[in-house]
């Protein structure tokens, strides 16, 4: 396992994660409309199935690495995002597009998604600051 600053990829990984999760959320909405998923609900609910989740799992939590201050919070938000998206996907798999849409458009899912993106942006700024020192 490596720390983020050792890999030198923190900024790019987080940028890619922000773009990928925004795109993924759009595709989930399209899947609700179609009534068919690109992956199973089980896969969607697991936070280690996307590239960002795999990258997070590869990191060590070195307490002396300042880029890791937000690591646990980001990891938790990311896991919650996938769990909630998995609940939406279960409804799509079960043919209940209305329930899936209701969960997708719920204030809770919207807040969770926005919180993840905002915190990823903050974490990305931390990496930029470290790299510019």
């Amino acid at each position: 396992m490596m720390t983020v600053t050792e890999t030198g990829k923190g900024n790019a990984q987080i940028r890619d994660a922000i773009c990928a999760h925004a795109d993924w959320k759009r595709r989930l909405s399209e899947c609700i409309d179609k009534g068919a998923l690109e992956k199973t609900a089980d896969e969607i609910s697991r936070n280690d199935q996307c590239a960002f989740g795999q990258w997070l799992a590869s990191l060590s939590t070195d307490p002396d690495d300042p880029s890791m201050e937000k690591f646990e919070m980001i990891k938790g938000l990311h896991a919650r995002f996938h769990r909630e998206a998995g609940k939406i996907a279960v409804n799509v798999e079960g043919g209940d597009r209305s329930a899936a849409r209701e969960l997708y458009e719920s204030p809770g899912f919207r807040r969770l998604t926005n919180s993840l993106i905002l915190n990823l942006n903050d974490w990305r700024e931390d990496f930029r600051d470290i790299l510019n020192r």
Side-chain angles (χ1 to χ4, degrees), residues 2 10 25 31 37 70 83 98 110:
M2 302 183 97
K25 188 176 176 219
C31 288
L37 299 169
K70 294 182 179 84
R83 278 194 307 272
S98 175
R110 188 174 304 122

Side-chain angles (χ1 to χ4, degrees), residues 18 21-26 28 77-78 80-82 84-85 88 103-121:
I18 291 166
H21 276 83
D23 185 55
W24 189 88
K25 188 176 176 219
R26 178 192 52 77
L28 179 59
L77 284 169
H78 184 250
R80 281 182 49 215
F81 172 82
H82 277 276
E84 294 304 312
I88 295 167
L103 285 172
Y104 179 87
E105 293 177 355
S106 71
F109 189 65
R110 188 174 304 122
R111 276 192 305 272
L112 177 59
T113 300
N114 290 341
S115 181
L116 177 60
I117 298 300
L118 288 170
N119 281 288
L120 284 170
N121 276 314

Side-chain angles (χ1 to χ4, degrees), residues 15-103:
R15 179 202 62 227
D16 292 349
I18 291 166
C19 294
H21 276 83
D23 185 55
W24 189 88
K25 188 176 176 219
R26 178 192 52 77
R27 287 193 341 261
L28 179 59
S29 180
E30 291 172 357
C31 288
I32 294 168
D33 291 341
K34 293 179 202 170
L37 299 169
E38 296 173 1
K39 295 183 175 192
T40 68
D42 180 61
E43 290 172 309
I44 290 169
S45 68
R46 294 178 51 203
N47 66 331
D48 63 352
Q49 296 298 297
C50 67
F52 181 67
Q54 292 167 0
W55 177 71
L56 281 177
S58 76
L59 298 176
S60 64
T61 54
D62 178 355
D64 296 327
D65 185 346
S67 66
M68 299 307 284
E69 288 179 14
K70 294 182 179 84
F71 175 76
E72 290 300 329
M73 180 184 55
I74 296 291
K75 192 174 172 182
L77 284 169
H78 184 250
R80 281 182 49 215
F81 172 82
H82 277 276
R83 278 194 307 272
E84 294 304 312
K87 291 176 187 176
I88 295 167
V90 164
N91 283 295
V92 173
E93 280 183 343
D96 193 346
R97 291 174 21 198
S98 175
R101 178 62 61 194
E102 187 176 319
L103 285 172

